[in-house]
Amino acid sequence: MAGSWGCPHEINDRCTKINNLPCNPGMKGCELAGRFRFADESKNERYWEKKEREKMQEKAAEAKK
């Protein structure tokens, strides 16, 4: 994948972290998955799961006060 950033796992448009599959930022197993939102909503499932966990933790912390 060409772009202004460089992934340490991408070599020759392949992801060395995920069985040398074609690099597809945000795919399952990608270290970007769950950290960032993507235009393709199908890649945002882990992001929203993480946000929901954070929200629940905040509520639990508030309940303890």
Side-chain angles (χ1 to χ4, degrees):
M1 156 156 190
S4 61
W5 68 281
C7 176
H9 304 288
E10 180 188 353
I11 298 176
N12 297 326
D13 293 326
R14 297 285 182 174
C15 181
T16 58
K17 183 177 179 184
I18 308 172
N19 300 324
N20 285 320
L21 292 173
C23 181
N24 184 358
M27 68 181 166
K28 185 176 180 180
C30 176
E31 64 183 47
L32 300 178
R35 295 183 182 180
F36 302 97
R37 287 184 62 193
F38 294 90
D40 180 352
E41 278 297 321
S42 68
K43 296 179 182 181
N44 293 328
E45 184 177 337
R46 287 187 59 199
Y47 174 86
W48 292 117
E49 289 171 354
K50 181 179 177 183
K51 287 296 180 188
E52 187 63 30
R53 278 193 309 271
E54 289 173 356
K55 188 176 177 181
M56 291 175 70
Q57 289 173 348
E58 288 175 7
K59 285 183 181 179
E62 286 293 319
K64 289 181 180 180
K65 289 184 180 180

